Amino acid sequence: MTKVTIYVTLRESVVDPQGIATTEALQKIGYEEVKSVRVGKLIELQLDGSEETIEARVNEMCNDLLINKVIEDYRFEIGEVSSK
């Protein structure tokens, strides 16, 4: 079993209203050193398959459903599922 962590962020050219609101809120409560915030999504998947297959399938999933290709970018990391 393989764990994939997908990081989804707004494209640099897209205004991030949630990030702006978060920046302002942090500054108002005393974190003046915060100059900007960008808010995104984290998606974790557990999959079976070879690394090559998983990489191709994750790209398909992101492009088909998990991201909005017009305003979002993504990157992902492939790792092992930790056994606890």
Side-chain angles (χ1 to χ4, degrees):
M1 181 93 52
T2 301
K3 177 181 175 182
V4 178
T5 305
I6 305 167
Y7 303 93
V8 182
T9 55
L10 288 173
R11 293 181 180 220
E12 285 296 320
S13 60
V14 175
V15 174
D16 181 0
Q18 188 176 3
I20 293 168
T22 303
T23 300
E24 292 171 357
L26 286 168
Q27 290 171 343
K28 284 181 184 175
I29 62 172
Y31 296 101
E32 297 86 9
E33 68 272 20
V34 175
K35 299 304 175 201
S36 72
V37 174
R38 305 265 311 161
V39 176
K41 299 184 278 190
L42 174 88
I43 302 168
E44 293 181 344
L45 305 173
Q46 290 186 13
L47 307 161
D48 287 326
S50 69
E51 188 166 336
E52 262 183 19
T53 302
I54 288 172
E55 188 170 325
R57 297 294 281 170
V58 170
N59 278 312
E60 289 174 17
M61 289 179 218
C62 288
N63 288 311
D64 288 347
L65 177 72
L66 298 178
I67 71 158
N68 179 336
K69 293 181 277 189
V70 175
I71 63 169
E72 294 176 323
D73 289 321
Y74 71 95
R75 67 180 176 82
F76 59 89
E77 297 172 355
I78 298 174
E80 294 296 317
V81 173
S82 62
S83 56
K84 293 183 180 182

